[in-house]
Amino acid sequence: MSFIRLTAALILTASTAAAGNISPRDGWAVHETSKPFEQLIADVKAAAKTQGLGVVTQAGPTGAAAARGITIPGNRVIGLFNNDFAVKILALSTAAMIEAPVRMYVTEEADGTATLSYKLPTHVFAPYADEGGAGLAALAGQLDRRFALIAEQAQK
């Protein structure tokens, strides 16, 4: 196959490629919903606010891919945190703050619904357990509860 034909084939494949649904895995929570992508994003943000967490970051390749002529399903990473957790975690482990904000991931499915998934904060902060001790584990546990409530509220 010539270089040009190979390149064209790769571009065509990439323009419609999707890896598929997120499956359950160790240390993750995965919530399939009946909500459309944009609605689930809005509901995650609203639920985060009720749990005292702010949207610190947002990123997703969907719009930029479309601008390049590549169609991919909706895809948004939403980073959530607050200053109270930041100050408390920093007092226990400077290194652990590399994990902040903790992220939720909204993905669009082929049927138009969206899935909400995230790594459990206890899983995210586990590598810093030796340094942060029981205090860090307790804060991560509090974040686990808040993230579970956000997921529950966002799915309603």
Side-chain angles (χ1 to χ4, degrees):
M1 181 179 279
S2 75
F3 177 75
I4 293 172
R5 282 191 296 191
L6 178 60
T7 302
L10 289 173
I11 289 170
L12 180 59
T13 302
S15 68
T16 58
N21 299 0
I22 293 180
S23 59
R25 57 194 69 214
D26 241 5
W28 284 58
V30 179
H31 303 275
E32 294 178 358
T33 76
S34 60
K35 291 190 174 187
F37 177 72
E38 293 294 340
Q39 183 64 54
L40 186 56
I41 290 171
D43 291 347
V44 165
K45 291 177 185 180
K49 187 174 183 178
T50 69
Q51 292 304 313
L53 296 176
V55 175
V56 178
T57 60
Q58 289 187 75
T62 310
R68 296 176 43 224
I70 301 169
T71 302
I72 61 173
N75 190 290
R76 178 79 53 90
V77 177
I78 305 167
L80 305 173
F81 221 60
N82 72 26
N83 187 257
D84 186 50
F85 278 104
V87 169
K88 289 176 180 176
I89 289 172
L90 275 170
L92 300 167
S93 170
T94 301
M97 276 302 293
I98 190 72
E99 305 298 347
V102 181
R103 299 171 309 270
M104 288 194 141
Y105 190 26
V106 179
T107 51
E108 184 178 32
E109 305 304 336
D111 65 0
T113 63
T115 297
L116 173 63
S117 56
Y118 60 92
K119 289 182 182 179
L120 299 171
T122 49
H123 183 74
V124 170
F125 289 107
Y128 312 95
D130 288 345
E131 188 174 321
L136 182 59
L139 289 169
Q142 289 175 29
L143 284 167
D144 272 2
R145 287 186 288 287
R146 289 190 193 202
F147 271 56
L149 289 169
I150 291 166
E152 181 182 314
Q153 291 172 357
Q155 291 178 81
K156 289 182 183 177

